[in-house]
């Protein structure tokens, strides 16, 4: 049924009500026949109830008007839901939230139009006056309904009315809009609502009864009625409408929550305050927007950086801002700059904050600006019934699950990118793992990862089902099973990545896909493979020999600082006479300036004149003043510089992992630390080691998305390798210092 046909049906129902009222000889004043709920919006479906109320002034005697009115309507064969209420009774009944929602859609049918207008005005005024208390109640009721019915976009038997993203949610959005607290109704919402009404009408015609559920066998006939190519196209169409309404609903509720909980100081502002949170990006009333004066065309990384900031802060990415960035933003160069790569990883690692931001990007066609291959899996139904989501949503859920496992791997960035791409081959005619491997390799190379990293991700995509298959269909204790696994997984780092991806993929599939039993089988096989591979040494990247400035050679207390700007920030090189605690003092100087450290290397350089401590720090500030850095380091050494406290680990955040790798070096204790990238982490670790009298012979610090992965080669003063007891004490002290 088209919108025009539905309007015709509703008009016919209107005329029927008017004729019945006229035949009943109802009074001209003080009485009105009104429609409420869905019919009140002109949406009468083929099997819908006729929901009407006969409203009257308190002092009007209706006599037999009710009976005279209802019998003709019953005789017409209409399903009639009717009531008779005085004006006061209607207002009292609105204390029930469901009744109040229906009365927001009051529409005049017959009788006294002035009474209908007064009723509508009263209901809207009461709703707006009580909105701050009633909207939380409405949100709770809506959430409870969603828990029962699931999501229209993903349920195997979706309910086009009650499910999340269904017609009921579209009505809730209209109620939010009627509160005047936030703008919730958009042209996109109205278009989606009308198309979903068409779907509901056809579903009811197919079912021959007032049903709103789409059974699996209905998709084919529904496609014919909607003039779509096939059942899959019908699924994509309906689920896309549900996704759009669900996205708009989540966005509206986020904005409503922000309004109802806003601090008093914000209420009197004519314009919202802008808090700068990153270059070109600001936060305004809980939404990430562009900073004043920012030009989207000047920075191709802006869209990804804005999305990452919103997701990591669990804030709203302003749809208007995002749409502008898509419309006016510069395309990403190939290969991507480091800032874009880092922003994508931070976005993927944001856990629960990822889904709403990804949905916003999807709604504005923003994903195709950096991942055009996404269109192949967008809204693609899964062939297997065990999957609870469409392919694209499953991928996003896999990334969210992988975000909780980044402490278990040494390359969290590769884990997250592999999670994003593991099903990219679906939708083709071939095995999706085989088809996805070359696609993933091409995408990762385009992102600017090294050829070796691209091979690792491509291999993970190719074999992401292997570990679970071998563990559950073969004997994990059979050496042949381990040999088969290691044929495709060459080293311990790749094995850790595959283990984490396997768990994330299964958890995102369904609760039944990752049980304790399955996990135990996988872990047994991984343990067997780990034993065969043996302990791996942490790699020590080669370091160059740098010239030592004369001022440092002449003065044992002098510190040389140089800043070399480059495309995404600057490299800060610090050289001084080597000593215990030198590296901690340098890190303290940068922390005092609140300069984030994206990567760092430190090493001892020996020549005929002495031993020098050299460190190289990658920072995002291209305009950092070397003189200020040197001055802050001096003040840290003197003890006159107050250093910022390390931010407390947020509740629920993954604890830090501090591991001793005893076989990684014959001359040093190797500490590998994986923790959240918080300001001051490097300084806290180095200060802790220096407090134990340990010196850092070599350090290799890197930030991979939201996680810092730091490796320190530690010695006793004089170059002696620490004992096992000292190693255990150092690991415990560092773990404690980081809040573990």
């Amino acid at each position: 049924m088209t919108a025009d046909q539905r309007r015709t049906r509703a008009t016919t129902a209107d005329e029927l009500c008017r004729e019945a009222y006229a035949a009943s000889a109802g009074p001209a004043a003080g009485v009105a026949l009104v429609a409420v709920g869905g019919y009140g919006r002109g949406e009468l479906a083929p099997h819908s109830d006729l929901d009407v109320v006969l409203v009257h002034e308190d002092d009007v005697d209706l006599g037999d008007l009710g009976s005279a009115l209802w019998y003709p309507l019953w005789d017409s064969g209409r399903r009639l839901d009717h009531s008779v209420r005085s004006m006061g009774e209607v207002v009292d009944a609105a204390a029930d939230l469901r009744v109040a929602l229906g009365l927001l859609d009051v529409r005049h049918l017959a009788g006294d139009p002035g009474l209908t207008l007064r009723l509508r005005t009263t209901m809207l005024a009461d709703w707006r006056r009580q909105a701050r208390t009633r909207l939380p109640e409405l949100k709770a009721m809506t959430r409870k309904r969603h828990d029962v019915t699931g999501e229209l976009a993903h349920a195997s038997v979706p309910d086009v009315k009650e499910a999340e993203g269904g017609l009921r949610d579209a009505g809730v959005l209209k109620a939010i809009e009627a509160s005047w607290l936030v703008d919730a109704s958009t042209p996109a919402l109205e278009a989606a609502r009308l198309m979903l009404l068409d779907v509901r009408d056809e579903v009811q015609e197919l079912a021959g009864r007032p049903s709103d559920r789409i059974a699996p066998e209905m998709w084919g006939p529904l496609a014919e009625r909607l003039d779509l190519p096939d059942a899959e196209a019908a699924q994509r169409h309906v689920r896309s409408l549900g996704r759009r309404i669900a996205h708009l609903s989540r966005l509206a509720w986020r904005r409503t929550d922000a309004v109802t909980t806003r601090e008093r100081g914000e209420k009197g502002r004519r314009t919202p305050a802008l808090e700068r949170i990153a270059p070109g990006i600001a936060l305004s009333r809980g939404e990430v927007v562009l900073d004043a004066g920012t030009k989207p065309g000047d920075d191709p990384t802006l869209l990804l950086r804005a999305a990452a900031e919103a997701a990591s802060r669990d804030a709203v990415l302003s749809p208007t801002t995002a749409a502008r960035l898509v419309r006016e933003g510069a395309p990403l160069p190939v290969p991507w700059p480091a800032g874009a790569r880092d922003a994508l990883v931070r976005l993927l690692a944001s856990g629960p904050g990822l889904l709403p931001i990804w949905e916003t990007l999807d709604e504005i066609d923003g994903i195709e600006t950096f991942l055009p291959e996404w269109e192949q899996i967008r809204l693609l139904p899964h062939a297997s019934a065990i999957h609870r989501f469409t392919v694209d949503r499953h991928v996003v859920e896999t990334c969210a699950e992988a975000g909780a496992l980044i402490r278990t791997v040494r390359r969290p960035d590769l884990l997250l990118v592999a999670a994003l791409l593991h099903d990219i081959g679906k939708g083709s005619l071939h095995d999706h793992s085989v088809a996805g491997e070359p696609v993933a390799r091409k995408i990762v190379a385009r992102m600017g990862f090294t050829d070796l990293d691209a091979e690792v991700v491509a291999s993970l995509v190719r074999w992401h089902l292997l570990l679970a298959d071998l563990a559950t269909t073969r004997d994990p204790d059979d050496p042949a099973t381990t040999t088969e696994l290691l044929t495709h997984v060459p080293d311990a780092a790749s094995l850790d990545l595959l283990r984490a991806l396997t768990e994330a993929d299964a958890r995102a599939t369904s609760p039944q896909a990752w049980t304790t039993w399955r996990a135990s089988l996988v872990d047994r096989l991984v343990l067997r493979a780990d034993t065969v591979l043996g302990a791996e040494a942490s790699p020590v990247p080669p370091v160059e020999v740098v010239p030592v400035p004369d001022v440092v050679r002449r003065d044992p207390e002098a510190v040389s600082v140089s800043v070399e700007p480059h495309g995404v920030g600057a490299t800060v090189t610090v050289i001084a006479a080597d000593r215990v605690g030198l590296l901690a003092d340098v890190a303290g100087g940068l922390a005092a300036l609140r300069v984030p450290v994206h990567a760092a290397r430190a090493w001892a350089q020996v020549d005929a004149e002495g031993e020098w401590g050299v460190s190289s720090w990658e920072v995002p500030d291209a305009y950092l003043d070397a003189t200020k850095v040197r001055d802050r380091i001096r003040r840290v050494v003197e003890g006159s510089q107050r250093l910022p406290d390390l931010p407390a680990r947020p509740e629920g955040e993954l604890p830090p992992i501090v591991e001793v790798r005893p076989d990684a070096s014959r001359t040093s204790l190797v500490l590998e630390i994986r923790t959240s990238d918080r300001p001051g982490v490097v300084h806290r670790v180095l200060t802790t080691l220096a407090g134990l009298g340990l010196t850092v012979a070599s350090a290799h610090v890197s930030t991979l998305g939201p996680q810092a992965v730091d490796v320190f080669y530690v010695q006793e003063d004089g170059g002696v390798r620490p004992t096992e007891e000292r190693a255990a004490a150092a690991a415990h002290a560092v773990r404690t210092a980081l809040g573990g």
Side-chain angles (χ1 to χ4, degrees), residues 50-74:
L50 192 59
D51 197 357
V52 295
V53 180
L54 187 62
V55 184
H56 62 90
E57 296 282 13
D58 294 345
D59 58 353
V60 172
D61 181 12
L62 295 180
D64 296 329
L65 176 59
S67 299
L69 178 61
W70 307 139
Y71 277 109
L73 294 176
W74 286 330

Side-chain angles (χ1 to χ4, degrees), residues 494-577:
S494 297
L495 181 61
D496 287 344
L497 287 167
L498 183 60
R499 165 64 178 78
L501 179 60
T502 299
E503 179 176 346
D505 185 19
R507 287 185 180 277
T509 298
S510 69
Q512 297 77 26
W514 188 253
T515 61
T516 303
W517 173 75
R518 281 178 173 268
S520 67
L521 293 179
V522 167
D523 286 339
R524 281 171 60 189
L525 180 54
V526 169
L527 181 61
R528 294 281 185 180
D530 261 331
T531 302
V532 173
L533 288 170
E536 283 196 339
S538 297
V540 183
V543 294
E544 68 274 18
V545 176
V546 300
V548 179
D550 290 340
V551 65
V552 174
R553 292 184 182 277
R554 291 193 305 267
D555 182 356
E557 296 185 359
V559 176
S560 169
V561 179
S562 62
V563 177
E564 182 181 350
H566 51 68
V568 292
T571 301
V572 180
T573 303
V574 182
I575 306 173

Side-chain angles (χ1 to χ4, degrees), residues 210-233:
S211 171
D212 297 313
R213 292 183 175 271
I214 307 178
E217 64 272 11
M218 283 186 175
W219 290 113
L222 186 60
E224 294 181 11
R225 286 175 169 268
L226 295 175
D227 198 23
L228 295 171
D230 51 34
E232 182 179 309

Side-chain angles (χ1 to χ4, degrees), residues 48 63 65 129 151 184 257-258 393 412 435 514 529 663 671 700 721 728:
S48 294
L65 176 59
R129 186 174 58 254
E151 292 185 56
D257 290 344
R393 173 66 178 275
W514 188 253
D663 300 323
L671 281 179
H700 310 276
R721 189 178 192 272

